[in-house]
Structures are given as structure tokens and as C-alpha cells.
Amino acid sequence: MTEADEHTTAVLVVGGGITGLSTALFLTRLGVRPLLVERHPSTAILPQARAFNPRSLEIYRPLGLEEEIRAHESILADFPEMIGAETLAGEERFRFDLLAHVRPPAGVSPVDWAMIDQDELERIVRAAAEGGGADVRFGTELVSLDADGGDEGVRAVVRDLESGTELRVRADYVVAADGHRAGIRERLDIGVDQPGPLSHAVYFVFDADLTDSLRGRRFLLAYLDEPVIGTVLVPLREAGRWMLGVPYYPELGEGPGDFSERRCAELARLAVGVADLDLTLVPPVPGWPQKVSHSTGGGWVAHRFSSGRVLFAGDAAHVVPPSGSYGANTGIADAHNLAWKLAAVIRGQAGPALLDTYEQERRPVARVTLDQAMRLLRVRYEGSADELAAMDELSMILGYRYDSAAISAETPAPDGPVEDPRVPSGRPGLRAPHVWLERDGAQLSTIDLCAGAFTLLTGPDGGDWRAVAGAAAASLGVEVDVHRAGVDLGDPEERFLGAFGIGPAGASLVRPDGFVAWRAEAGPERPESESAFGRALARILSRDATG
Ligand SMILES: Cc1cc2nc3c(=O)[nH]c(=O)nc-3n(C[C@H](O)[C@H](O)[C@H](O)COP(=O)(O)OP(=O)(O)OC[C@H]3O[C@@H](n4cnc5c(N)ncnc54)[C@H](O)[C@@H]3O)c2cc1C
């Protein structure tokens, strides 16, 4: 290779799963065109996540993707149910609606869950990222990474797996979204917190007519006791196609190599409970040579979410058991938190220290999410329906709180890591509450209004804030959109002031990722408020107040 072969990019994203693809998409919408490499020839090889929570939809919706996501919701969306039985043909031991306790009430979010398979969502996000100018290269692997380049950035080598051609890459930043095996994090010698790996399973897809065993039933997921307790049977989109996950135990000397296709066919017959079931194992994607995959489940959080100019996101930074549908959704939220910070630093609008707030904000969220997922796992297996109902998952999804230099903290400090989004306080550090406003007679959520740019929302008597925000934004070279609720925008339900916790002349500054960064309960008094607002904005952007 010669120097001429070197490709220069602001951001190299490693991994084309939902976290990497979302990072690429969010960056393109902020004017940064990353290079993304993914070793697989195509998007996800199995559906994996099938339930995307309202926060993920709130993130994709302002980008115009909700309609397409809804159009690709699974035909099983009307049956978000989990069942338990010894075998599929046997008696059902339990059945419950996975979303019964986690659907947001109407006033809490403009969106509901989306029951879309992860591979379908990845296709949509990939197309949108490519449409926005991201250079997305599947079938391309990261071969080496030199993260010690200092101001020179990161040097990497990537290889096209079909042609074998290598390309040298110099990137200002690398987002390591390379999944739970976390090759980059491991290379950089960054360890993880407990509990660690908890389970191992083999997965395979098979075609079979299970009409008799189903007896007219439909479900999203079946937990079966045969051939091993914890076996999972999942109906796929194609009629008559199934995925089976069977736990194995390394401590008993078992390993993925023990699961031949023939043995897997036998395991599927045991799980269904029909000894002579006619079935065929199929590759998870056409042409894929391997029909049996394996994975390690459990829970861990990386000790650090970055190393110099390399930032870890998604499963590369944290893994949670699939008990609360948190895995993929947490990766999307990481990508969303990171993308605006990267874009602001790359565009010179923020100081590099803004990137330190990524770990300060996302690592604690990963930790409480993991704790919640572990509790949920225990309650599902050993607890009661009442205990399950008492777990406040909605607060975990929509009410987690950030505490970092990119948030203007208020005193007294609030209690606990989450707040109930049903009774929002509007405090800095929390997701800006959803309130229906009105523009030109059309309904508009504050969630859609405060997306992709700094937004200052003021009360009806807060007209003076426009000049204050304009002066501060101009001196720092950033854009701040200003809207006056009750004047520029209708507030038909009269919820705005209460939800944001400000008076009629107050203002709330929302970051490009939809989190409240600062607020003033009352109106501006110049010049004090002007400089207070300017100082707050400069601090949020890790700039000194003079810019
Ligand atoms: C069976 C199952 C069910 C699940 N159910 C749910 C659920 O209901 N809800 C939920 O939210 N989550 C669920 N999850 C978890 C969810 O699928 C993961 O959290 C999610 O896939 C993580 O996305 P990611 O992009 O961070 O990592 P991944 O999806 O693992 O993507 C990482 C990518 O990086 C690529 N890569 C790695 N190294 C390199 C390299 N050197 N060069 C190039 N590319 C590389 C890999 O090929 C991979 O495609 C489930 C997972 C499984 C296995």
C-alpha cells in the first residue's frame, strides 16, 4: 500500500449492527459523512430484537422513519405474547403480554412500541444512512487499529473480504460498535464489570409445518423446557420458518462444536414434542455457509466507554440479558447521545471535552439498565405477576437522567437515577417531556420539535429570550432554534409550562438529542440573563465563555 491508498474520514464506524448503522445515520443528519465497515456481507442474520421501545421510535421519528418502520412491523405485532410450556405440543404453563406494563400512556410519548424485527430495522436505517451520504461498506473488516496517533487521529486498516484489498484509513474518531465480542475494546485492554457471561446457547433456523402443535395459537416467543430448560422457539416472518435457541453448558464440557446439524434437528423435534417431525435446517440468510450459530448471554458494562479517540457504543460497551428488550434499544440511545457530540466537536462548535460526557452520561444508564434487566430476569423466572407489574420499566425507558458537564445541574440534586415520565419535572438531565403543541393547525410534539439542534422553548411571556439566545448563539457560532409556546405554537392542552417546570416568562434549553440541558424558571433580565445563558451554553459545549 502507498500513502495514496489512505482514506481520510472524520469518523470511522466499525460494525454495521443497529448501533453502528444508527450512529452513521445520525451523523449524516448532522452533516458528517462517516465511513462504516461491517464484516458480514449483509445486515443482521437473525431477527434478534423484535421490540423497539418508544424512546427508539422517538429518536427515529423526527428523521422521518416512523412510517417506514410501522410499515415493516411484524405480522406478529398484534401478538406481543410470550408463552411457556414443556414442549410446543404440550400444555401451556403461562402466557403474558410482553408490553402490558410498558406501553406509554397517551400523554407521555407521541409513539408506542414498534414490533419490527431487528434485521428489517437495520435495512431501513442502513438505506437512510446511505441516502444521507454515509460510506457504508459491508463485507469489509477492520484488520488493525492504531489508536495512539494523538492529534493525528486514529490509523486503521480495513480489508474487503471478497477481493482481499486492504485500505489504510485515517480517522479523527472511531466509533467501535463491533458488538458483544468487542474486539476493539479487548485490544485496548478495557475490562468489564460483573456479573459477566451467564449463559451460552446455539441458534439455528428451520422450516417445519407446526400447525398441529400450534393448535391455532400465535405468540412472539415460546420458552420451552425441552430439550433443556430455557430453550427459546421464535416464529420468523416467513410462514413455517422458526428459530430455536438451545442453552449449552461449558462447565459440563459442552461447546458449540458439539451441535451438528443432525443433532440440532433432533433438538428441534424434542422442543416441539413431535418425535418424527419433518424439518429442514436452513441458513439464516441465503448462501450463508453456516446453519448453526452460537452466542453468549449475560450482563456486563465496560469499565470505560472510550479510549482516546475511540468510543465504544452498543453491545461493545455493555451487554444486558434480553429480558426487557433493552439491548438494541440501549445501543440506539448510545448512538444518539454520541452523534451530536461528535458532530459538534468535528464542526468546531464544541471543545473535545464534550466527548468525555458520553461516558459520564451513558455508562450510568447502562449500569441501571443492566440492574433492571437482571431484576426482570429473576422476577420472570422466580417472581409473581404482581412483582412483575411493580417494576417500573417505563421510567427506565423514558425517565433516565444524565449528570455531566453537558448538563446545567440544579440544586437540590434529585433522588435516584430515574424519574417517572408520567409526572415530568422538566429538570435538566432528563428527556424533554412530550407535550402536544400546534403549528398551523397541525399537532406537533415537543419531541419532534427538539431534535437535531439546540432548541430554546419559552413560555408565552418569554419573548425576550429570542434576542438573548440569538446573541449567545452568534458569539459561539452555533444555532439555537427558539419557539414561544402559546404564541408561535399553540398549547391546546395547556400542559407546556407544567411539564417543563417553568413560569410563563421562563425558558428551557433542549440539546440536539432531546435532553433538557438548562432552564430558567422566569424571564430574562438583561444583561445578567444574556451572560448567564451564554455561559451555560458555552459550558454545555465544553467551550470557555469567550468561545
Ligand atoms: C436471540 C437474541 C434476542 C434478542 N432480543 C432482543 C430484544 O428483544 N430487544 C433488544 O433490544 N435487544 C435484543 N437482543 C440484543 C440485541 O440484538 C443486541 O443488543 C444488538 O444486536 C446490539 O447491536 P450492536 O450493533 O451494538 O451489536 P451487533 O448487532 O453485535 O453488531 C456488531 C457488528 O459488528 C461487526 N463487527 C465486529 N467486529 C468487526 C470487525 N473487526 N470489522 C467489521 N465488522 C465487525 C459484527 O459483524 C456485527 O455485525 C437480542 C439478541 C439476541 C442474540
Side-chain angles (χ1 to χ4, degrees), residues 119-153:
D119 57 332
E120 288 274 57
L121 180 62
E122 288 182 5
R123 267 191 287 279
I124 294 170
V125 174
R126 176 183 176 177
E130 288 177 322
D135 182 354
V136 177
R137 303 188 188 190
F138 273 61
T140 304
E141 182 176 50
L142 176 87
V143 182
S144 67
L145 187 83
D146 174 6
D148 293 330
D151 289 346
E152 290 287 292

Side-chain angles (χ1 to χ4, degrees), residues 244-268:
L244 194 74
V246 183
Y248 68 85
Y249 296 92
E251 59 274 28
L252 301 179
E254 293 178 320
D258 300 334
F259 293 84
S260 64
E261 290 180 25
R262 193 190 172 100
R263 180 164 178 216
C264 286
E266 275 314 310
L267 296 176

Side-chain angles (χ1 to χ4, degrees), residues 325-351:
S325 278
Y326 289 122
N329 288 294
T330 311
I332 294 164
D334 287 347
H336 198 232
N337 182 289
L338 184 53
W340 78 268
K341 294 175 180 173
L342 275 170
V345 172
I346 288 163
R347 290 159 68 185
Q349 294 174 331

Side-chain angles (χ1 to χ4, degrees), residues 48 65 72 269 294 302 307 345 480 491 520-521 533:
Q48 301 180 358
L65 297 189
H72 287 85
R269 291 187 183 102
H294 63 99
S307 174
V345 172
V480 178
D491 179 16
E521 285 176 36
F533 180 84

